[in-house]
Amino acid sequence: MTSPVWHPFTQHGLNEPIPQVVRAEGSLLHCADGSTLIDCISSWWVTTHGHCHPRIVAAIAEQAAALDQVIFAGYTHEPAETVARELVKLAPPGLDHVFFSDSGSTAVEVALKMALGYWNVVDRRRTAILVMEHSYHGDTIGTMSVGERGAFNRAYEPLLFDVVTIPFPAAGCEQATLDALDAACAAKPAAFIVEPLILGAGGMLVYPAWVLREMAAICARHDVLFIADEVMTGWGRTGTLFACEQAGIAPDIICLAKGITGGAIPLALTLASTRIFEAHRSTDRARMFFHSSSYTANPIACAAAAANLVIWSEEDVLGRIATLVQGVADGLASLDGAMFANPRQCGTIGAVGLVTEDSGYLSSLAPELRGFFLERGLLLRPLGNTIYVMPPYCTDAGQLTRIFDAIAEAGAHFA
Ligand SMILES: *Cc1c(COP(=O)(O)O)cnc(C)c1O
């Protein structure tokens, strides 16, 4: 009998294999058929330290037995208080208020609502949102609206709101992006939302920290709220805890999710500046922030996030990341330039374009590559002809060698 499960981003009509995973540890996934896979993309960019980190597993078990769930409107609990307090210490200065939700998409929705809510109080005319070309911010209606338009969301186009798009700052064309942002800011939009340093789902497109710094400065000059979507880049992925650190900027709003629990359980946070929080604070109930979901700040998820913060403070996470960054750099350098175009790296993330005619996201190349890697014991999921790695930080040298050897082999086979 076929399974009733409808999988995400999966074309069931193609009958591609769907391995069943039964157990995981570190960088490894163990499947029901007895095979073992290296998780080269951190299970869709969430797993940071490695699967089933003992401290996170223990925190979840302990919290589940003590307080599983409680309404968060008007009630609080220690795991949420700890996460918020500790995170504010680590975040860029001025981001002193923490709003909880459940996924990267909801963290972004909350950020957009906070920005509009802010301007609603101080200046009703600002509602437009500026976005960057090739961005991805999630799959809900609001987050699709601020993301790249294409095959993924064409059917839903009538529901998406209009945004103003500035070009991606490709190497050599950075000034055009800054000029476009400056011009767009002059029309007094509400906010600019951007993925700092690297655009993930848009194809692992990187741009330098100085461009990020300049974009933040332009927004500040025009008093346009700057929203950093660190859903993917947060928690060490770009080599520092947050990508914004590398530009020395403090956004008005930061969105966090994915690695916040080490990748064990869903949780998301939207950090807001005092100015945004204070605009909503009043004795007038009509000015409260109108957002919630049933499981806002679930205690078990918060306990996992608190354990993640302990790992960051007590273990040498940045040391492990530095080793991985070097390993990824060596792996990329080992690939043959004739078969792979535009090798690029942002911290622990490495990407190359496979030189081939057949390259769109919907072409058969990506699933063929996926199958090729699966046969070699690797979970890799190329974006069109872009092959990228984003391994958990515990991935060792031997595993990296296996990963890059297989990518080289794919080059010889498909390029
Ligand atoms: C994954 C991602 C999201 C959406 O997060 P979900 O938890 O999948 O909803 C938003 N923004 C960026 C930059 C992402 O990479």
Side-chain angles (χ1 to χ4, degrees), residues 21-30 36-58 60 237 261-265 311 320 379 390-395 399:
V21 181
V22 291
R23 201 163 54 78
E25 92 231 19
S27 301
L28 299 179
L29 301 172
H30 301 285
T36 298
L37 302 175
I38 301 177
D39 188 352
C40 313
I41 60 161
S42 297
S43 279
W44 248 354
W45 320 348
V46 301
T47 309
T48 51
H49 314 294
H51 287 276
C52 296
H53 189 292
R55 285 179 122 130
I56 294 174
V57 171
I60 289 172
R237 215 53 93 167
T261 60
I265 189 169
I311 292 168
R320 266 180 239 148
L379 193 178
M390 195 188 301
Y393 309 150
C394 59
T395 306
Q399 290 167 333

Side-chain angles (χ1 to χ4, degrees), residues 5-332:
V5 174
W6 193 344
H7 288 267
F9 276 91
T10 298
Q11 178 44 276
H12 283 277
L14 293 173
N15 292 315
E16 283 154 2
I18 300 183
Q20 186 169 339
V21 181
V22 291
R23 201 163 54 78
E25 92 231 19
S27 301
L28 299 179
L29 301 172
H30 301 285
C31 300
D33 67 1
S35 65
T36 298
L37 302 175
I38 301 177
D39 188 352
C40 313
I41 60 161
S42 297
S43 279
W44 248 354
W45 320 348
V46 301
T47 309
T48 51
H49 314 294
H51 287 276
C52 296
H53 189 292
R55 285 179 122 130
I56 294 174
V57 171
I60 289 172
E62 203 178 308
Q63 185 59 44
L67 173 66
D68 53 352
Q69 164 67 6
V70 65
I71 180 173
F72 206 58
Y75 291 80
T76 195
H77 50 77
E78 178 54 32
E81 295 293 336
T82 302
V83 168
R85 191 177 57 240
E86 296 304 317
L87 193 57
V88 163
K89 291 184 202 160
L90 296 173
L95 289 154
D96 290 339
H97 300 277
V98 179
F99 193 92
F100 290 80
S101 64
D102 320 297
S103 73
S105 300
T106 55
V108 171
E109 296 274 358
V110 163
L112 297 172
K113 286 176 70 172
M114 282 177 174
L116 272 280
Y118 172 79
W119 291 113
N120 181 54
V121 171
V122 301
D123 172 356
R124 289 182 170 272
R125 284 160 303 170
R126 291 196 180 210
T127 55
I129 305 291
L130 307 184
V131 307
M132 183 180 280
E133 178 190 19
H134 303 312
S135 294
Y136 177 81
H137 297 291
D139 282 333
T140 56
I141 300 296
T143 59
M144 282 192 295
S145 298
V146 293
E148 180 79 359
R149 306 296 167 95
F152 319 105
N153 45 42
R154 194 155 294 131
Y156 327 116
E157 188 85 46
L159 298 179
L160 307 186
F161 58 77
D162 286 336
V163 293
V164 178
T165 306
I166 64 159
F168 175 77
C173 307
E174 295 89 350
Q175 194 56 44
T177 295
L178 300 177
D179 292 345
L181 180 61
D182 198 43
C185 282
K188 298 207 176 303
F192 172 51
I193 180 165
V194 72
E195 299 164 77
L197 302 185
I198 176 165
L199 276 51
M204 300 300 159
L205 306 174
V206 301
Y207 64 91
W210 70 265
V211 175
L212 180 60
R213 186 161 54 239
E214 282 303 310
M215 293 192 301
I218 290 168
C219 288
R221 198 154 65 233
H222 290 278
D223 201 21
V224 170
L225 297 177
F226 190 90
I227 305 173
D229 178 354
E230 291 239 23
V231 169
M232 182 189 82
T233 53
W235 308 104
R237 215 53 93 167
T238 69
T240 47
L241 177 58
F242 301 121
C244 285
E245 284 172 33
Q246 295 181 40
I249 59 166
D252 297 287
I253 300 177
I254 291 189
C255 307
L256 298 173
K258 293 196 169 123
I260 188 169
T261 60
I265 189 169
L267 185 71
L269 300 177
T270 307
L271 275 63
S273 65
T274 301
R275 167 193 181 192
I276 292 168
F277 177 78
E278 288 299 329
H280 289 85
R281 190 157 82 126
S282 159
T283 51
D284 178 0
R285 284 184 212 283
R287 275 171 70 163
M288 73 173 83
F289 185 50
F290 292 106
H291 192 92
S292 169
S293 60
S294 311
Y295 285 98
T296 301
N298 170 260
I300 301 170
C302 289
N308 175 44
L309 290 169
V310 171
I311 292 168
W312 271 91
S313 73
E314 292 184 6
E315 298 184 15
D316 183 21
V317 181
L318 285 173
R320 266 180 239 148
I321 287 173
T323 305
L324 180 58
V325 168
Q326 188 55 51
V328 170
D330 293 344
L332 287 173

